[in-house]
Amino acid sequence: LTAQGIDDAALVMPLTFAVVLATVIAHGFSIRPLAAWLGVGGSGLQGALIVGASPWSVALGKALKSLDVPVTVADRNWNNLRHARAAELPTFWGEIMSEVAEHNLAFNQFGVLFAVTDNDDYNALVCTNFGPEFGRGNVFEIGRAESSESRHNLLVTLGGRPFLAECGGYDALNARVASGWAFRATRLTDEFSAEDFEREKGDGQIEVAVYRGRRLSWLTGKPFEYAADDVVLSFAPAAREDRSAEPEEATN
């Protein structure tokens, strides 16, 4: 256009870039409040995708749901999902690594994945598959029965991070739930401090996560300093008296 002598033709390119830049900035600042106004925005919390439905994994899902953490329980077996459906947890029936799952699940709503089926090798495969997408530090698998022979052990680059490995594998975790173990959420306050919590917790109780400021931090053996208003999620033996102030109880 400039070569043909059309007036102001040189302004077309900078004007085009200016329109694109203004549009991107305007939409970038307005999309979140618009989504909230329309009721289609996320909760801001990283969701949890639990692969493998069982009484134990449903107990974990209910505990997370009580903290307003988005949860979906997935399983290839429709019958296995009956506990999750009874608990009114969102479910996905099918192969989690399939194209169907990609089309029907919004994976961007999840920040953490738990592979907790009764098949150790499948758990490792799921974690290895989703590791690049979620981040290796955000994929967990329950304890596996390791063989004393090195040829049966996995490479350290495969699988996910161990979750409640001290409790044993699939059968051991579900046996604990059957005997009365449950996930419990306890709020710490100025009156009920971290020291009080440590002193009064029951034998065998395991802290698994801390909910602070709408963020859930998973405890995987690393030290963590609790503070007032933290909610500590624990896996504990049969119900005991919870003497914390305003506890947020998670059902089993």
Side-chain angles (χ1 to χ4, degrees):
L1 296 177
T2 303
Q4 294 181 20
I6 297 177
D7 294 340
D8 298 327
L11 297 177
V12 172
M13 182 160 303
L15 181 61
T16 300
F17 280 106
V19 170
V20 172
L21 179 62
T23 302
V24 170
I25 293 176
H27 288 174
F29 281 104
S30 63
I31 191 64
R32 187 177 294 274
L34 178 61
W37 181 69
L38 293 174
V40 296
S43 66
L45 280 171
Q46 64 168 13
L49 175 59
I50 302 175
V51 181
S54 68
W56 175 83
S57 64
V58 170
L60 173 61
K62 291 173 65 177
L64 295 177
K65 183 180 178 181
S66 74
L67 297 175
D68 295 326
V69 176
V71 178
T72 295
V73 180
D75 201 290
R76 295 177 293 181
N77 187 310
W78 173 260
N79 188 54
N80 287 349
L81 288 168
R82 68 188 186 281
H83 298 295
R85 293 193 297 268
E88 298 183 345
L89 295 175
T91 62
F92 173 78
W93 174 41
E95 173 54 60
I96 196 63
M97 295 181 289
S98 68
E99 187 174 350
V100 174
E102 292 182 7
H103 293 164
N104 289 276
L105 274 179
F107 283 97
N108 60 352
Q109 68 179 305
F110 305 118
V112 62
L113 178 144
F114 296 93
V116 294
T117 73
D118 59 353
N119 188 316
D120 293 337
D121 294 329
Y122 181 74
N123 293 339
L125 178 61
V126 169
C127 289
T128 302
N129 181 77
F130 286 103
E133 182 172 347
F134 283 79
R136 184 87 193 282
N138 296 317
V139 289
F140 298 87
E141 61 178 309
I142 54 175
R144 57 185 290 125
E146 293 289 0
S147 169
S148 58
E149 298 183 42
S150 60
R151 65 190 179 92
H152 292 299
N153 296 335
L154 291 175
L155 294 172
V156 294
T157 55
L158 298 178
R161 301 171 68 187
F163 186 70
L164 291 179
E166 60 268 48
C167 295
Y170 179 91
D171 291 332
L173 287 169
N174 283 291
R176 293 199 182 202
V177 171
S179 67
W181 281 60
F183 286 95
R184 296 190 177 85
T186 305
R187 181 181 296 278
L188 304 181
T189 66
D190 292 331
E191 292 74 25
F192 188 81
S193 65
E195 291 75 16
D196 297 326
F197 173 74
E198 289 290 339
R199 184 171 55 252
E200 297 194 10
K201 70 180 183 181
D203 294 337
Q205 179 171 318
I206 305 169
E207 292 85 60
V208 297
V210 177
Y211 183 71
R212 174 187 292 177
R214 294 187 60 78
R215 180 178 176 82
L216 203 60
S217 298
W218 296 94
L219 306 178
T220 54
K222 58 185 178 181
F224 192 94
E225 291 194 13
Y226 302 128
D229 291 329
D230 284 351
V231 178
V232 183
L233 183 64
S234 306
F235 187 50
R240 61 181 179 82
E241 181 184 3
D242 194 341
R243 295 169 60 183
S244 61
E246 300 181 5
E248 297 181 11
E249 196 75 11
T251 57
N252 59 343

